[in-house]
């Protein structure tokens, strides 16, 4: 599960705490952690001792994990390159085994939508919208 790298807000840690409070066995990895702690998270993920990692982009490049079948972009990446690297966490190993994989992205702004459109164009990608008959919901409770 990927989030924006907002060090002062500790976004990865906060989301990880919310998941753990709901009994999801998760850990987090972000640039504010000591390298030894991030390496420990990497080892646990690689050995399949943990299944849910809340991470920033530092966990998306050049790392290969077995059996990753889903990636969630909780915060949509700011560039197409980051989207492709995040998505690659599940595509690399799954494609050779024939399993299905899933990427879920929360698109919550015009900037997110623009990056998504660029991904579709640059990589000739079909990215389904769910639900297919979606309607944009606006917060009517704002004061």
């Amino acid at each position: 599960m990927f989030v924006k790298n907002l060090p002062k807000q500790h976004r990865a840690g906060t989301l990880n705490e919310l998941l753990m409070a709901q009994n999801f066995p998760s850990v987090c990895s972000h640039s504010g952690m000591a390298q030894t702690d991030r390496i420990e998270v990497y080892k646990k993920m690689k050995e399949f001792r943990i299944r849910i990692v809340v991470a920033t982009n530092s966990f998306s490049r050049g790392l290969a994990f077995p059996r990753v079948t889903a990636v969630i972009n909780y915060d949509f990446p700011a560039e197409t390159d980051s989207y492709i690297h995040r998505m690659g966490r599940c595509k690399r190993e799954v494609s050779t085994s024939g399993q299905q994989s899933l990427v879920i992205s929360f698109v919550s702004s015009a900037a997110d939508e623009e990056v998504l459109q660029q991904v579709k164009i640059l990589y000739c990608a079909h990215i389904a919208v769910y639900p297919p008959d979606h309607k944009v919901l606006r917060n009517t409770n704002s004061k």
Side-chain angles (χ1 to χ4, degrees):
M1 183 174 294
F2 287 101
V3 297
K4 291 179 181 175
N5 188 16
L6 302 172
K8 291 183 181 179
Q9 296 177 6
H10 303 288
R11 194 159 175 85
T14 301
L15 182 55
N16 182 54
E17 289 172 11
L18 288 170
L19 288 169
M20 290 189 315
Q22 297 301 313
N23 295 317
F24 287 98
S26 62
V27 296
C28 70
S29 178
H30 55 81
S31 60
M33 296 171 61
Q35 176 119 1
T36 53
D37 293 338
R38 288 185 302 202
I39 290 170
E40 187 61 28
V41 169
Y42 170 77
K43 286 179 182 176
K44 287 179 180 177
M45 184 75 175
K46 186 119 176 129
E47 296 165 358
F48 207 56
R49 291 188 284 153
I50 56 173
R51 298 188 63 193
I52 302 171
V53 178
V54 180
T56 58
N57 280 344
S58 63
F59 223 64
S60 71
R61 294 178 183 262
L63 303 176
F65 300 103
R67 297 176 278 205
V68 173
T69 57
V71 170
I72 299 173
N73 288 308
Y74 186 82
D75 291 323
F76 203 78
E79 307 105 20
T80 58
D81 193 46
S82 293
Y83 179 88
I84 296 302
H85 282 284
R86 287 177 177 188
M87 186 181 69
R89 297 310 96 217
C90 70
K91 289 291 187 187
R92 184 174 291 155
E93 298 254 347
V94 172
S95 62
T96 60
S97 68
Q99 291 178 324
Q100 291 287 326
S101 61
L102 178 66
V103 177
I104 298 171
S105 298
F106 295 105
V107 178
S108 59
S109 71
D112 292 352
E113 181 64 33
E114 185 177 322
V115 174
L116 181 63
Q117 292 307 318
Q118 290 172 5
V119 167
K120 288 179 178 181
I121 292 167
L122 287 171
Y123 298 99
C124 300
H126 171 72
I127 301 172
V129 174
Y130 185 81
D133 59 346
H134 79 287
K135 294 179 182 169
V136 177
L137 300 177
R138 304 229 185 266
N139 183 353
T140 58
N141 296 326
S142 59
K143 295 179 182 180

